[in-house]
Amino acid sequence: MVSTDGRHRAAVLGSPIAHSLSPVLHRAAYAALGLDGWSYDRFEIDEAALPGFVEGLDSSWAGLSLTMPLKRAIIPLLDEISETASSVEAVNTVVLTEDGRRAGDNTDIPGMIAALRERGVEKAESAAVLGAGATASSALAALAEICTGPVTAYVRSRERGDEMRGWGERLGVDVRVADWAEAEQALRAPLVIATTPAGATDALTESVPKDPGTLFDVLYEPWPTGLAAAWADREGAVVGGLDLLVHQAVLQVEQMTGHAAAPLAAMRQAGEQALAAR
């Protein structure tokens, strides 16, 4: 448990970072929990600047959130990482312990699972993943917990396909690879996880089936994406990037502050209001 006596600073690091909603979510949690002395900031930090920043942290720091491109770059600077983070070689959370150790974790994976469960998705017989970047490997790790059958990854290159197969072998997921040109077939899966950049799935909107399953689109801005809007129009269940962001942030707040239950509703409301104001 992180002491609140003298350890009250946290921040998100990454590049670019100006768009990050993490300060909004964490500050909302501090306000709801009555942590008046806590602060949460954002810092534009790239891979070259990361070691110096971490070495300069003093005893007032309780934790860090990491976004791209730092989720792997942080690992050599840590004293320990969790099994969850090790499984995908990506850390998005660092807790600075009272004895000065740096402990890394990945809350994206349990955050994905929690976001799906909140919408009633406990298990899936099969799934499709659109994309093959860093978020896709976290998606595979989440699917290792809830998917009982094969996962088809739709990718743009053979190299990306090989990477996804490799993650599948490592995570114990039966990954099958298909070319991006066939991505409209993905939409027939009972669970579709879109991990692609903004605009990448726009061409698929006309291919959403009449009775779709569940779409988890990890983007939160712009929202809804074209695919998410078309999915909702056909009365399919939609889980969005804000759901993921809030659930992973809840776990970060709990780890950094030592509070057992972060205020999910207050954090989501703050995130929604911030996005509406943009």
Side-chain angles (χ1 to χ4, degrees), residues 108-133:
D108 286 331
I109 296 167
M112 282 186 175
I113 295 171
L116 285 165
R117 286 179 174 164
E118 185 180 36
R119 301 304 173 89
V121 180
E122 296 282 347
K123 293 290 181 182
E125 295 181 357
S126 63
V129 175
L130 298 171

Side-chain angles (χ1 to χ4, degrees), residues 47 66 68-76 78 81-93 104-106 108-109 133-135 137-138 141 163 166-167 170-171:
E47 293 166 291
L66 288 307
M68 297 304 292
L70 305 179
K71 293 184 179 182
R72 289 193 170 95
I74 190 67
I75 293 176
L78 303 177
I81 66 172
S82 67
E83 290 185 11
T84 302
S86 179
S87 71
V88 292
E89 297 179 358
V91 166
N92 78 325
T93 307
D105 194 13
N106 185 309
D108 286 331
I109 296 167
T135 305
S137 61
S138 292
E163 288 177 8
W167 284 117
R170 179 169 182 167
L171 295 164

Side-chain angles (χ1 to χ4, degrees):
M1 180 174 180
V2 176
S3 170
T4 57
D5 183 12
R7 303 176 59 77
H8 54 262
R9 295 188 68 187
V12 59
L13 315 181
S15 183
I17 200 63
H19 69 287
S20 176
L21 277 181
S22 291
V24 171
L25 302 182
H26 284 251
R27 291 168 186 170
Y30 299 163
L33 292 170
L35 298 176
D36 296 334
W38 281 67
S39 65
Y40 189 100
D41 300 300
R42 63 166 68 92
F43 292 92
E44 181 82 17
I45 300 291
D46 60 15
E47 293 166 291
L50 182 61
F53 185 92
V54 172
E55 290 300 326
L57 300 177
D58 60 25
S59 61
S60 69
W61 285 84
L64 300 171
S65 305
L66 288 307
T67 186
M68 297 304 292
L70 305 179
K71 293 184 179 182
R72 289 193 170 95
I74 190 67
I75 293 176
L77 308 177
L78 303 177
D79 297 299
E80 59 188 84
I81 66 172
S82 67
E83 290 185 11
T84 302
S86 179
S87 71
V88 292
E89 297 179 358
V91 166
N92 78 325
T93 307
V94 175
V95 174
L96 304 166
T97 65
E98 293 183 18
D99 61 2
R101 295 179 64 79
R102 305 168 189 152
D105 194 13
N106 185 309
T107 64
D108 286 331
I109 296 167
M112 282 186 175
I113 295 171
L116 285 165
R117 286 179 174 164
E118 185 180 36
R119 301 304 173 89
V121 180
E122 296 282 347
K123 293 290 181 182
E125 295 181 357
S126 63
V129 175
L130 298 171
T135 305
S137 61
S138 292
L140 287 181
L143 289 170
E145 300 293 327
I146 65 173
C147 187
T148 58
V151 175
T152 304
Y154 291 81
V155 302
R156 296 185 183 275
S157 70
R158 178 178 298 179
E159 292 76 16
R160 289 292 195 177
D162 291 342
E163 288 177 8
M164 291 296 281
R165 285 194 189 93
W167 284 117
E169 292 174 2
R170 179 169 182 167
L171 295 164
V173 179
D174 179 11
V175 174
R176 303 169 186 184
V177 174
D179 190 270
W180 184 261
E182 304 171 0
E184 64 181 38
Q185 297 180 17
L187 310 186
R188 304 188 188 114
L191 173 60
V192 180
I193 303 182
T195 69
T196 50
T201 61
D202 287 355
L204 301 176
T205 56
E206 298 299 322
S207 301
V208 177
K210 291 183 179 180
D211 188 22
T214 298
L215 171 68
F216 192 163
D217 195 324
V218 303
L219 293 175
Y220 63 84
E221 191 177 19
W223 188 260
T225 63
L227 183 59
W231 206 273
D233 285 344
R234 290 163 176 77
E235 299 185 347
V238 177
V239 184
L242 183 60
D243 297 310
L244 168 59
L245 192 64
V246 170
H247 277 283
Q248 66 83 27
V250 160
L251 298 171
Q252 289 185 333
V253 169
E254 290 171 356
Q255 290 188 31
M256 293 178 190
T257 68
H259 281 261
L264 174 67
M267 294 169 70
R268 174 178 276 129
Q269 182 180 29
E272 290 172 345
Q273 291 174 345
L275 286 176
R278 288 184 176 182

